[in-house]
Amino acid sequence: MFGKILVLWQPGFPTVGSEPMDRAVLARALDGMNASFVDLKGLKAAGALDHADLLVLPYGSAAPVDAWSAIEHYLHSGGNLLIVGGQPLQVPVVQAGENFEQLRAQNSYAGEVGFRNTYEVPVAAGAQFKWRDGYALGAAPKIRARKFFAVEGHLDGLGYMADKDGLLVAAPVIVDDHVEGAMSGSRIVALDIEPEAGYWGSDDGIALMRTAAHYAAQGAVSLNVETLFATLRPGELPVITAHVREPRSSGSGAGELKVTLNSEQGSVDSVTVAVAHPAAGDVAIPFHKALSPGFYTVTATYGEAGQFRAYYQNGFWVEDASAIATGERVTANGDFLARDGAPYFPVGTNYFSTEGNGWDFSGPRNAAVWEHDFAEMEQHGVTFVRTGVWMHFGRFTQETAGGGANERFLRNVEAFMLCAQRHHIVVNFTLFAMSPRAGDREWGEQEGTLPNPYLDAEALKEEQAYARSVVERFKDAPFVTWDLINEPSFSNPRVIFKGNVPNGDGVEVAAWHKWLREKYSGDLRALADAWSLSVVKLGSFDDIPLPAQADLSGERYGNSREIRALDYNLFAQDMFSNWVKKMVVMIRSTGSTQLINVGQDEGGVTDRVLNQFYGGAGVSFTTNHTYWQDDALLWDSIAAKRPGLANITGETGFQPVWYPDGTWRYNEFTGLGLTLRKWALGFAAGSSGAVQWDWAREADFGMKRSDGSSKTWENQMRALGEFAKKAAPAATSLIESEVAIVLPQSLQLSVENHVALEAQQNAVRALYGYARSQAYAVGEYQIELLGHPKLILLPAPMGMTEKAWQGILDRVKAGATLLVTGPFDGDAHLHATGRAQALGISYSNVPLTIREQLVKFPWREERVSFGGMKTTTLTQGELADGTGWMEKKIGSGRILFSPVPLELSDDLEVVGSAYEYALKAADVAPVYSTALTDPGILIAPTVFPKATMYVITSESNQGQVTFTDVRSGKTFRGMLDPGSAAIVLVGTNGNLNASWNWSAQ
């Protein structure tokens, strides 16, 4: 069977990250396979690798640099490679005279074959080796190794270590089949372990190497079984096609395909068909038996000359359309969600498939993979999955009348939902992503100004036709919720994730003119005053252009049009909210009562369309994807949650970070603490749960490794899911904090966005980390939601609308305390109003030019520093008497005023002291007490009627945590790994009702 196998055997060549072996051991493993041993010189010789079925590198992690050109040429000619031991090709080895030198570990050579990163993974004692399901490779040998490695990249697992529960925890045999591309036909197999001493020479080691070599030498092959529909109606017959791709096949020999149709009770039918041209064979599979309702799998095994070559399994449902209408109903209950009427904390993940076949449902899909994955998710605490369409919807609507989704798409979605339904998992289906995109081509391929995706009537008609077809199909599924759009930006579909940017089309221009006219009550003079222009310069409302992109970001000088950024961003909020309202009306018109949300990322709390605005447009809950920004995670949860509306931390996890040479900073272990903190903070400040991005075989943030084994996160998610189930019954309602942070949105939506965000984020850190209190957030433009706090924090606002100011002042007059720092006399455009003077708070706005300011506060004298560009750009107040603090009684309450914007200073301890003073002045009762002085240990309480949930995160190298729950008087002590997180639920009686990742002492 084997034409030629070459083994690199070079005296003196080092074995790295593996056990050295004798030549006799390799000869025994390759006995009968026509193996020849060749040194580096022989390997480099012209024609040495011609017609070779396999090259074996037995030196572990070592990459033979001196022969690499020959090896690379061989692989690019479709050659096959077996790497025995170690981390494949990670350590370059060069010849230096008679010796060999190991260079530093790097990805230079592994990256050339698609291996991107590697690291050690733990395997518990008792784990057993098994071949990949369906792969008839003989008896599974035992594997005894000191170390197991993960390799991320373009690859799959061929053999796995399975723990006592059957979870695949490592892949000591990996395979990379190149069915297309520059290495078409090539197969690379690696045994990525550091074995115990003597293992290679043992019977198990010999068997492992022999099987791996035999499999590697066969070359790349792909087998796929496609079903036309992933869901059939009773009476319909399956339409099944098998696809075989074998690039190195000569086409002279036929293969054989054995296909079996199984119900969950056993075999239903089977067929064996010939594959005449395996290089590119497509074979229709004839199954004609009537099928009763249920789930079916189609398994296919491909062989040649009696030798196993490939295996594949797909599946489909046979169900009546009404089957989708059962399951646990998800509803909104004020600040939280409910399932079948009981409080519900979602724990879950984004999910499309663990096969890499696109982020939608338009083409062939694999329901057997869905069924397997949903079963595993259920076992690991997942109760919520977010999926949907991240691609252009035109690819599956163009051939249908009326613009609805085609039947294949809908049947695929139905199968996905049936799998989720079986495993008690809520489905949050996303209809659009980033921009509601019509048409089948990428936006960048189309010339000229595009139709406005939010405002153009024809575009909206297309969007709603597609969305309506999906909603109408599944409107009776009680476990399904609708995510209108993933991570939206307004309104230019070519410019996403960069703030709100005009599209410039005529519809948007007309809407802009109409919005300005309404906002300024038709008074052109009012607009001219806001923008510091003459009326003559403006002309008329209909003459005012949209801002240029340069007008929407700040520069030191030279562009007075930056003042328009606030209005355009407010226009964007209103227009997006109007789009949301129209989509909600459309969904409700189908008869759907299912929950609706917008799946926004950090843009919903920073600089795009904000949760606090569209949260009032008819959505049932909001989300915040804590994805790219890693520092202000608690602020993320606070700023994202609109009072009275549930909020979920979604699409969370770490984003990749590379060193300048491409080396990875994060893997599942180095990024673990950040991941756990993000999960935990999904439960902080009244938020309702956490959703990971995503359950996929993805090197960075996927729950699976590239090889298909499970990252250690899975068991941690299971524990989080168990905690959520135990803790949820407490979330009958939210007892709001006595402290409110008013978010100065006028400043945030201006070109001074970065200043506003720094002030907000520092306010949260100072309040939680230093003053040891907690708060909820209310937007300036949603001031009607302020409620009745005892203390209102207004961090460095510079200015705000009169409506918002009067809303705050009303609460102060009724008895609240307001702490405001820095100038607050400005209107929304930061022009003076005289409001401070009217209250008897007489101060002047002056440039903040002094870096170090010694300020006498009521509690003590403090040094307040302003570094960087702050003395170049910031403004401060200056009281007439030159003091640094003022208190003013207003009605039954009072205003505490710091002329300098404390939250923009460099020392959060000073801000914390100011907050401690304000908390006492407002008589805010503490929820907990602690002697902790380390601000890196954050404790974030959420108070329910009969329990308090404490989210505890570490950004410190100190681990001891001790605090006392005031309501029960019970003290809790525990250890927290540096950078990690924990959650505890404490009953009013002091019982620890539930905990996650908490090491109690």
Side-chain angles (χ1 to χ4, degrees):
M1 177 180 178
F2 299 99
K4 181 169 67 173
I5 290 179
L6 291 184
V7 183
L8 175 63
W9 191 258
Q10 176 66 53
F13 196 87
T15 297
V16 183
S18 183
E19 277 291 308
M21 70 180 90
D22 293 335
R23 176 169 169 162
V25 169
L26 274 171
R28 181 182 163 202
L30 302 174
D31 184 40
M33 299 175 70
N34 195 22
S36 300
F37 291 77
V38 61
D39 61 11
L40 285 170
K41 183 178 179 181
L43 191 62
K44 293 187 292 181
L49 286 165
D50 290 354
H51 311 297
D53 290 319
L54 180 66
L55 170 64
V56 180
L57 300 180
Y59 294 104
S61 306
V65 172
D66 297 284
W68 184 251
S69 293
I71 294 170
E72 187 174 43
H73 176 76
Y74 170 66
L75 294 175
H76 280 254
S77 300
N80 305 312
L81 178 64
L82 172 63
I83 303 169
V84 181
Q87 296 169 280
L89 305 174
Q90 279 294 299
V91 179
V93 174
V94 297
Q95 190 163 9
E98 298 298 318
N99 299 315
F100 292 92
E101 179 184 351
Q102 297 180 40
L103 306 183
R104 62 178 178 82
Q106 56 191 274
N107 210 41
S108 305
Y109 296 90
E112 293 296 316
V113 299
F115 296 165
R116 300 167 58 199
N117 189 34
T118 180
Y119 52 94
E120 185 180 353
V121 297
V123 173
Q128 298 294 316
F129 178 73
K130 58 174 286 188
W131 294 115
R132 183 177 172 186
D133 285 348
Y135 276 61
L137 299 177
K142 296 184 183 302
I143 290 187
R144 298 181 296 278
R146 289 192 291 260
K147 294 180 180 180
F148 293 84
F149 302 106
V151 179
E152 301 287 11
H154 179 279
L155 55 95
D156 204 343
L158 182 61
Y160 295 99
M161 301 303 294
D163 70 9
K164 60 182 178 59
D165 298 317
L167 189 69
L168 307 180
V169 295
V173 186
I174 58 174
V175 59
D176 181 5
D177 270 9
H178 292 262
V179 180
E180 56 187 12
M183 293 171 58
S184 179
S186 173
R187 170 176 283 174
I188 301 175
V189 174
L191 310 180
D192 53 333
I193 58 172
E194 182 179 321
E196 293 180 356
Y199 175 74
W200 294 131
S202 71
D203 289 345
D204 287 311
I206 294 293
L208 180 65
M209 287 190 288
R210 183 174 184 80
T211 302
H214 189 280
Y215 185 78
Q218 294 175 358
V221 65
S222 168
L223 172 62
N224 179 275
V225 178
E226 173 185 348
T227 60
L228 177 63
F229 290 149
T231 308
L232 303 179
R233 300 289 172 245
E236 292 181 346
L237 295 177
V239 178
I240 301 171
T241 307
H243 306 286
V244 179
R245 299 290 182 269
E246 191 174 3
R248 292 181 65 191
S249 172
S250 64
S252 59
E256 187 177 72
L257 194 63
K258 295 181 179 179
V259 185
T260 303
L261 177 64
N262 296 290
S263 73
E264 292 177 303
Q265 288 71 47
S267 177
V268 174
D269 204 353
S270 64
V271 64
T272 299
V273 294
V275 182
H277 301 288
D282 299 313
V283 182
I285 307 300
F287 287 132
H288 302 300
K289 290 185 177 180
L291 302 175
S292 57
F295 186 72
Y296 293 80
T297 56
V298 182
T299 60
T301 302
Y302 175 64
E304 293 175 353
Q307 296 292 317
F308 169 83
R309 295 290 282 118
Y311 171 88
Y312 191 82
Q313 183 179 70
N314 205 328
F316 59 87
W317 286 89
V318 177
E319 286 292 0
D320 186 81
S322 62
I324 203 75
T326 62
E328 295 145 309
R329 180 167 297 279
V330 186
T331 55
N333 180 26
D335 291 283
F336 302 105
L337 301 182
R339 192 157 66 156
D340 274 357
Y344 168 51
F345 284 145
V347 170
T349 175
N350 275 58
Y351 173 64
F352 302 92
S353 176
T354 48
E355 283 192 338
N357 55 7
W359 290 349
D360 69 13
F361 292 83
S362 60
R365 294 295 182 264
N366 192 320
V369 169
W370 289 336
E371 173 59 24
H372 172 274
D373 290 347
F374 274 115
E376 188 172 318
M377 288 183 215
E378 183 182 24
Q379 295 166 3
H380 287 83
V382 172
T383 61
F384 186 99
V385 154
R386 183 166 177 260
T387 192
V389 176
W390 266 242
M391 307 297 181
H392 293 282
F393 63 81
R395 62 197 292 172
F396 50 83
T397 62
Q398 287 182 337
E399 74 271 24
T400 61
N406 64 35
E407 190 63 17
R408 186 177 210 183
F409 174 92
L410 294 170
R411 296 282 189 101
N412 283 341
V413 173
E414 185 174 350
F416 184 96
M417 291 184 177
L418 286 168
C419 294
Q421 176 196 54
R422 168 181 279 192
H423 296 287
H424 313 287
I425 293 176
V426 173
V427 174
N428 184 225
F429 192 92
T430 303
L431 295 166
F432 305 96
M434 281 65 87
S435 177
R437 300 176 289 191
D440 193 40
R441 294 195 298 164
E442 294 289 340
W443 286 124
E445 297 175 2
Q446 301 180 32
E447 297 179 357
T449 302
L450 301 168
N452 194 291
Y454 296 101
L455 302 174
D456 183 84
E458 190 60 32
L460 187 63
K461 180 180 177 182
E462 292 179 5
E463 294 157 15
Q464 292 200 351
Y466 144 64
R468 182 181 290 108
S469 71
V470 182
V471 174
E472 283 182 336
R473 187 67 158 257
F474 305 109
K475 67 182 189 301
D476 296 323
F479 59 95
V480 171
T481 67
W482 301 108
D483 178 355
L484 298 181
I485 184 168
N486 175 68
E487 301 177 357
S489 304
F490 184 91
S491 71
N492 190 332
R494 288 196 177 109
V495 185
I496 58 175
F497 303 127
K498 298 182 184 299
N500 298 311
V501 178
N503 188 47
D505 59 280
V507 176
E508 184 180 20
V509 171
W512 169 241
H513 293 158
K514 182 175 183 291
W515 184 88
L516 286 172
R517 187 177 286 107
E518 291 175 353
K519 176 175 171 57
Y520 290 94
S521 303
D523 185 351
L524 199 63
R525 289 175 298 180
L527 176 57
D529 181 64
W531 288 0
S532 297
L533 289 171
S534 69
V535 174
V536 173
K537 187 74 171 177
L538 281 179
S540 73
F541 281 103
D542 291 336
D543 294 329
I544 300 171
L546 288 161
Q549 193 166 353
D551 301 337
L552 302 174
S553 59
E555 295 293 341
R556 286 177 62 147
Y557 69 96
N559 185 2
S560 60
R561 293 183 302 277
E562 290 175 2
I563 194 70
R564 307 181 188 203
L566 169 64
D567 288 285
Y568 183 77
N569 279 314
L570 289 172
F571 166 73
Q573 308 305 319
D574 287 349
M575 295 303 102
F576 180 76
S577 292
N578 287 343
W579 181 85
V580 169
K581 290 174 183 177
K582 290 174 182 177
M583 297 300 292
V584 170
V585 167
M586 180 277 294
I587 289 173
R588 297 298 177 229
S589 74
T590 68
S592 166
T593 59
Q594 296 149 311
L595 301 189
I596 302 170
N597 72 290
V598 169
Q600 183 59 299
D601 61 4
E602 292 106 332
V605 291
T606 56
D607 63 350
R608 300 207 313 273
V609 288
L610 306 183
N611 291 28
Q612 297 284 348
F613 283 85
Y614 69 74
V619 296
S620 314
F621 64 96
T622 58
T623 70
N624 179 35
H625 301 168
T626 53
Y627 204 28
W628 291 100
Q629 307 300 321
D630 299 335
D631 184 57
L633 296 173
L634 177 57
W635 168 81
D636 272 323
S637 289
I638 293 171
K641 189 183 181 312
R642 180 179 164 115
L645 201 64
N647 182 72
I648 297 173
T649 293
E651 280 197 24
T652 196
F654 68 78
Q655 270 290 325
V657 180
W658 290 3
Y659 292 107
D661 66 352
T663 304
W664 289 22
R665 173 183 172 88
Y666 285 144
N667 59 44
E668 65 185 279
F669 302 105
T670 55
L672 176 61
L674 177 59
T675 299
L676 296 183
R677 294 201 306 276
K678 288 187 173 186
W679 287 1
L681 289 165
F683 293 83
S687 283
S688 293
V691 177
Q692 171 78 13
W693 175 276
D694 65 336
W695 196 284
R697 292 162 60 153
E698 205 290 326
D700 292 294
F701 33 72
M703 294 295 289
K704 299 286 186 181
R705 304 182 188 114
S706 301
D707 57 36
S709 63
S710 297
K711 293 179 182 175
T712 55
W713 303 344
E714 270 197 57
N715 287 328
Q716 286 152 329
M717 180 167 279
R718 174 166 53 195
L720 184 63
E722 291 170 354
F723 167 82
K725 288 179 181 178
K726 291 179 182 178
T732 54
S733 62
L734 176 66
I735 298 177
E736 205 67 90
S737 170
E738 294 180 332
V739 182
I741 299 174
V742 175
L743 307 174
Q745 292 166 329
S746 290
L747 189 65
Q748 181 175 347
L749 295 174
S750 76
V751 295
E752 298 298 325
N753 168 269
H754 64 288
V755 175
L757 296 183
E758 181 178 351
Q760 292 178 30
Q761 293 168 2
N762 284 344
V764 169
R765 278 202 177 274
L767 183 66
Y768 280 77
Y770 289 91
R772 296 295 172 184
S773 189
Q774 60 286 324
Y776 62 96
V778 177
E780 170 191 340
Y781 286 83
Q782 300 81 39
I783 202 64
E784 67 278 3
L785 302 177
L786 181 57
H788 301 277
K790 287 186 175 181
L791 175 62
I792 301 168
L793 301 178
L794 187 54
M798 306 300 173
M800 63 193 326
T801 67
E802 189 60 23
K803 178 183 176 182
W805 176 251
Q806 289 301 324
I808 294 170
L809 202 58
D810 287 346
R811 297 314 319 145
V812 173
K813 290 176 181 177
T817 297
L818 168 66
L819 172 57
V820 57
T821 71
F824 66 93
D825 187 65
D827 64 11
H829 293 87
L830 309 186
H831 303 317
T833 63
R835 65 169 63 114
Q837 188 73 32
L839 291 172
I841 302 176
S842 180
Y843 75 87
S844 303
N845 285 347
V846 298
L848 193 162
T849 58
I850 304 301
R851 190 183 197 281
E852 305 293 333
Q853 302 193 27
L854 197 61
V855 181
K856 187 174 183 180
F857 294 108
W859 56 95
R860 63 177 173 269
E861 195 170 59
E862 304 263 22
R863 181 174 298 279
V864 184
S865 300
F866 295 90
M869 293 291 290
K870 292 174 182 176
T871 57
T872 303
T873 60
L874 290 185
T875 300
Q876 71 173 73
E878 187 174 80
L879 289 166
D881 60 4
T883 59
W885 186 265
M886 183 178 185
E887 300 187 12
K888 183 75 175 180
K889 186 171 177 58
I890 306 290
S892 298
R894 56 177 156 172
I895 295 176
L896 311 179
F897 174 53
S898 164
V900 295
L902 290 177
E903 290 86 358
L904 296 174
S905 68
D906 298 340
D907 192 344
L908 290 184
E909 188 170 4
V910 175
V911 185
S913 296
Y915 287 0
E916 287 179 346
Y917 179 85
L919 288 163
K920 291 177 184 176
D923 194 28
V924 173
V927 174
Y928 72 97
S929 63
T930 182
L932 281 172
T933 58
D934 184 349
I937 304 293
L938 289 177
I939 301 176
T942 297
V943 182
F944 308 121
K946 296 183 178 180
T948 302
M949 180 186 295
Y950 292 95
V951 173
I952 308 163
T953 68
S954 166
E955 295 174 301
S956 169
N957 61 359
Q958 305 302 303
Q960 182 69 50
V961 180
T962 302
F963 68 95
T964 298
D965 174 63
V966 170
R967 193 155 52 161
S968 67
K970 183 70 176 290
T971 297
F972 296 87
R973 297 178 178 84
M975 288 295 295
L976 199 60
D977 289 338
S980 189
I983 316 176
V984 297
L985 182 74
V986 178
T988 52
N989 58 3
N991 288 343
L992 186 62
N993 293 342
S995 67
W996 173 73
N997 208 38
W998 175 247
S999 299
Q1001 291 185 321

